Amino acid sequence: PSAGALCSAGAAAAVSGAEAFDEGDHKAAVAFITVAITTLGGHFFTDTAAQLFCTRSAAHASDNNFSLALLDAAQAVLQRPRWPQAHALKGRALRGLRQYDLAAASYRAALALDPSDDGVSDLLCVCLREAGEAPARGAPQVGGAIGSSKRTQRGGVEVGDSKRPCFGGGTGGGCS
């Protein structure tokens, strides 16, 4: 098949994966995104690769497959190191694995890139509490109150929530 045909098939699989994720069918999302990654190979931009790995990581995390979620989140960070959502999702996977120190470091990396993200601030606070390292009284706060309903929107993506944490939109534009 031509590169164009592969790109079209990969883009279609990526869209199907995003739709499956939105519908809560995480196993189908993983399957479609895996097809997209495999089919597209080197025929997509780094940003698209990061979105694909991030979405697959979120699907794995939603099914409590945190080891696989971590592998994909780490790949998303590698592909797009200045993307806060990728770091936040890596923190989610690490927190699921109860590696609280590393999770907190990932959340802090996300906040260094986007200090205004109250959702990630909330997740860092929860992580620190789970690790038994809650900020001392009078210490500077990391962000909004835990349980805050305020979440940051980035390209239709709600950060700090389990809903589609990293898939920033369409996938067809990354094909060459």
Side-chain angles (χ1 to χ4, degrees):
S2 70
L6 287 175
C7 188
S8 293
V15 169
S16 295
E19 290 170 353
F21 187 90
D22 286 345
E23 293 169 5
D25 189 350
H26 302 124
K27 290 184 187 337
V30 167
F32 281 121
I33 297 298
T34 300
V35 167
I37 291 169
T38 304
T39 304
L40 291 171
H43 298 286
F44 58 99
F45 296 117
T46 302
D47 286 355
T48 302
Q51 289 175 342
L52 291 171
F53 283 110
C54 213
T55 301
R56 191 169 71 175
S57 175
H60 284 308
S62 293
D63 281 342
N64 296 321
N65 294 323
F66 296 112
S67 294
L68 294 174
L70 178 58
L71 291 173
D72 281 342
Q75 186 64 36
V77 169
L78 182 66
Q79 294 289 324
R80 195 169 171 190
R82 299 203 42 81
W83 195 20
Q85 290 90 340
H87 289 280
L89 194 52
K90 184 177 176 186
R92 178 182 180 197
L94 288 162
R95 188 171 148 232
L97 293 169
R98 301 178 190 267
Q99 296 181 19
Y100 299 115
D101 290 343
L102 295 173
S106 290
Y107 289 138
R108 285 184 179 111
L111 287 170
L113 295 167
D114 184 1
S116 67
D117 193 324
D118 291 338
V120 174
S121 292
D122 291 349
L123 291 170
L124 176 58
C125 287
V126 169
C127 182
L128 292 174
R129 284 199 174 103
E130 289 172 343
E133 299 177 24
R137 271 204 166 147
Q141 293 299 309
V142 189
I146 293 177
S148 165
S149 62
K150 183 176 179 186
R151 297 288 185 230
T152 303
Q153 289 279 143
R154 293 283 186 267
V157 175
E158 226 177 356
V159 178
D161 190 46
S162 62
K163 297 178 187 169
R164 215 172 187 201
C166 284
F167 197 84
T171 58
C175 298
S176 57

